[in-house]
Amino acid sequence: MSLTNSILCLFEITDPNLIVTGISKERCSTNQRIHVVHATLSYQLLKCPHCGHKSLIKNGTHM
């Protein structure tokens, strides 16, 4: 098992359509060290997979 697969398993990320492009170490505003997993989807989303709405909001949700 590769290091990337081990990290995805640790965070319980099981989507086979994710392609990990990198992992970086950063510091957030509270001076804590964090690890950021950079990934892309292997296909283009045209609608929300949960509700089917055609309006997608990048990196978040909207109620």
Side-chain angles (χ1 to χ4, degrees):
M1 184 180 281
S2 71
L3 182 60
T4 303
N5 286 339
S6 298
I7 292 169
L8 294 177
C9 288
L10 175 68
F11 291 111
E12 298 179 0
I13 300 173
T14 58
D15 190 344
N17 299 309
L18 283 178
I19 299 170
V20 176
T21 57
I23 299 169
S24 63
K25 296 178 185 177
E26 298 178 9
R27 286 193 181 263
C28 63
S29 60
T30 59
N31 207 26
Q32 292 178 335
R33 286 183 268 168
I34 59 173
H35 289 87
V36 179
V37 178
H38 303 274
T40 59
L41 276 175
S42 61
Y43 60 91
Q44 180 70 28
L45 280 177
L46 301 175
K47 62 181 180 176
C48 177
H50 301 289
C51 68
H53 198 271
K54 291 185 179 183
S55 176
L56 294 174
I57 299 171
K58 185 177 179 179
N59 298 327
T61 61
H62 181 69
M63 295 290 187

